[in-house]
Amino acid sequence: MSANFIDIADYKTKQLNDILFVAHQIKSGLISPTPLLNKTIAMIFEKSSTRTRISFEVGIKQLGGTPLVLTSNDMQLSRGETIGDTARVMSRYVDAVMIRAQSHKTLLEFKENSEIPIINGLTNVSHPCQIMADIMTIQENFNCIEGLNISWFGDSNNVLKSWIDAATKFKFNLRIASPKGYQPNQKLIKMATDSGAQINLYEDSHKAALDADVLITDVWISMGDEEGTRLKDLKPYQVNSKLFELAHSDAIFLHCLPAIRGNEVTEDVIDGPQSKVIEEAENRLHTQKAILCHLFNYKIK
Ligand code: CP
Ligand code: NVA
């Protein structure tokens, strides 16, 4: 069976640290690996994307490979061809597939039927590539992630799920501030804390912001979500300058983007000096190149 990059939880801390090390080496120009020479990497998008699509496409080219961008609407998938047949056929044409799927089940079914590496480019459940870039950005700002207070505000979505996975692998304190009805699945939190994660849940966002090193939020309506009463319910969890004042003076702000200014974050915070969102987006490129290096057995000499 080939190696895949489906979830942070599937990986050992050492493997994640090795991938991050390669990402830092690539970014600083110390190495320029080309493990994808003569290889084609396909990407299937069932949802929109700016960062994931561009960073993978550029990264694959920089690694010597050929990217192939596909939207599920243009494929026979949209006319009912099975995921299994699609995965088996694509395994004979290309060398790996990155999928951004509506449903995590689709990703897993694709993986089960593939003979080549499969990468999770976001599903309704998780977004592991994003969290690798976020951790890299945190390491750049604080040198390490261990012991930091990392505070999440708002909806318990796919990006937070990957942060919870990361909390089982790296020794930081994950604080989650969200209202009733938007809190993470209790079973998931129990499983994570049973495997050593330090996670605290708050209803009061001020408590989660106190002495925080990293403040993170994401859109209140993720792709595929109904608006319902989300905007009203999540309003008290906005990351604004008042909340930021409670954090450590050198705290940074992260957001995977795209952001809605005035909803989950105010303009002064996301466009302010402590926001690292553009570096974070840049780091998608370096970490994904490092993930591809890992999947194609690149070793630093
Ligand atoms: N953060 C992120 O995955 O962005 P895109 O949806 O633009 O790919
Ligand atoms: N939670 C967001 C992330 C977008 C990159 C979504 O799924 O829409």
Side-chain angles (χ1 to χ4, degrees), residues 100 122 127 157-159 218-219 222-223 256-258:
R100 170 164 283 196
L122 178 146
H127 197 4
N157 63 13
N158 44 4
V159 178
D218 188 10
V219 285
S222 282
M223 291 180 275
C256 65
L257 304 179

Side-chain angles (χ1 to χ4, degrees), residues 47-48 51-52 100 121-124 127 130 152 155 157-160 218-219 221-225 255-258 284:
K47 300 184 188 190
S48 317
R51 281 143 288 271
T52 305
R100 170 164 283 196
L122 178 146
T123 69
N124 59 325
H127 197 4
Q130 181 66 53
W152 174 276
D155 189 24
N157 63 13
N158 44 4
V159 178
L160 177 63
D218 188 10
V219 285
I221 308 169
S222 282
M223 291 180 275
D225 281 345
H255 188 309
C256 65
L257 304 179
R284 293 291 303 279

Side-chain angles (χ1 to χ4, degrees), residues 133-145 148-153 163 209 211-217 239 243-244 247-255 265 269-270 272-280 283:
D134 292 11
I135 294 173
M136 180 177 185
T137 313
I138 291 169
Q139 289 173 335
E140 286 175 333
N141 282 275
F142 296 99
N143 289 320
C144 73
I145 191 164
L148 295 182
N149 294 325
I150 298 185
S151 301
W152 174 276
F153 300 89
W163 266 114
D211 296 332
D213 298 294
V214 184
L215 291 87
I216 316 178
T217 189
V239 179
L243 192 75
F244 223 90
H248 280 145
S249 56
D250 61 350
I252 62 168
F253 173 72
L254 297 182
H255 188 309
V265 60
V269 169
I270 193 167
Q274 285 167 279
S275 171
K276 300 293 168 193
V277 299
I278 303 302
E279 288 83 347
E280 180 185 7
N283 289 338

